[in-house]
Amino acid sequence: MFQKIIFPRYIIILLALFFFIYIYSFFHLYYSDYTIQDDTQLLNNNYTSTINSNGFVWPVPGCKTITSYFGYRQGSSVVSSYHSGLDIGAPTGTYFVAITDGTIVNTGWTGSGGFTITLVNQNLRISYCHSSPNFIVHNGQKVSKGEVIGQVGPKNVYNIPNNPYKDSNGNPTNGAMTGPHLHLTIRKDGVAVDPLNYL
Ligand SMILES: [Zn+2]
């Protein structure tokens, strides 16, 4: 009366596949690094940081838009220029966070980098350029990955002696830049490396 139900092999394989996709999508959702924000956002300083598989945290939790990559880039002229870090477009005031645990070793004006905060973790030296001059960390301070260490600075800064950087209106700028963004440089044993190797 009762017949043993025998599934064809392809049904078993399909079920296994669906099960795998189901598990994978869960895993992916849970472990994806951060939510991608749209480009037209205003300040987004409400966030949660997620540690990626390399053990690092994305520097600007509210913004993921990369406006310039590390390495040689084609300029407006025929000559390509070298870019020592990663540019992340973000409005003035946007928080940025420590990408790893470390110690603050510098807060101040660095010329082309404008106001800069530098964090050291062993052989990695991480600089956050074009920051706000209203520093919220100080030299020697230990910080944890994901901790807010500063804000994206304004385009124009004033009263800096011998600042050679100016915008098209002749107003002094926060280093060599055309608009507010975070420039992140990572030096490994003194050599600039691609931040995306870590992020
Ligand atoms: Zn840059």
Side-chain angles (χ1 to χ4, degrees):
M1 185 168 272
F2 293 103
Q3 211 176 336
K4 200 175 171 189
I5 301 166
I6 299 167
F7 291 106
R9 186 167 292 174
Y10 74 91
I11 293 285
I12 304 285
I13 290 168
L14 268 179
L15 283 174
L17 195 66
F18 284 142
F19 181 73
F20 177 79
I21 290 168
Y22 175 76
I23 294 294
Y24 175 80
S25 62
F26 242 92
F27 185 83
H28 194 256
L29 194 70
Y30 191 77
Y31 285 97
S32 61
D33 289 355
Y34 12 72
T35 311
I36 295 170
Q37 308 289 338
D38 75 64
D39 297 347
T40 56
Q41 68 188 317
L42 297 173
L43 293 184
N44 181 4
N45 283 338
N46 301 314
Y47 58 82
T48 51
S49 285
T50 307
I51 300 167
N52 70 16
S53 54
N54 294 322
F56 287 77
V57 169
W58 183 255
V60 191
C63 300
K64 220 196 157 186
T65 309
I66 295 169
T67 51
S68 183
Y69 287 87
F70 170 84
Y72 289 93
R73 60 183 173 187
Q74 208 68 37
S76 51
S77 64
V78 183
V79 185
S80 65
S81 62
Y82 174 73
H83 188 223
S84 64
L86 185 72
D87 288 349
I88 300 159
T92 302
T94 307
Y95 289 149
F96 52 78
V97 303
I99 64 168
T100 181
D101 297 338
T103 306
I104 303 296
V105 297
N106 181 58
T107 58
W109 179 258
T110 60
S112 64
F115 287 105
T116 297
I117 297 167
T118 303
L119 167 68
V120 163
N121 176 324
Q122 297 177 19
N123 62 342
L124 295 181
R125 190 178 174 90
I126 302 138
S127 292
Y128 298 74
C129 299
H130 316 303
S131 81
S132 164
N134 302 320
F135 297 115
I136 58 173
V137 290
H138 58 266
N139 287 354
Q141 185 175 335
K142 302 249 188 288
V143 295
S144 305
K145 66 179 78 169
E147 183 178 337
V148 173
I149 58 170
Q151 289 175 283
V152 171
K155 177 185 174 188
N156 296 113
V157 290
Y158 298 91
N159 303 319
I160 296 148
N162 306 316
N163 178 6
Y165 302 101
K166 290 181 173 58
D167 64 16
S168 53
N169 298 319
N171 295 316
T173 56
N174 191 356
M177 55 106 93
T178 54
H181 70 278
L182 174 69
H183 169 107
L184 185 86
T185 295
I186 301 181
R187 288 180 202 283
K188 184 183 183 185
D189 299 314
V191 179
V193 293
D194 188 348
L196 290 181
N197 292 345
Y198 299 88
L199 304 173

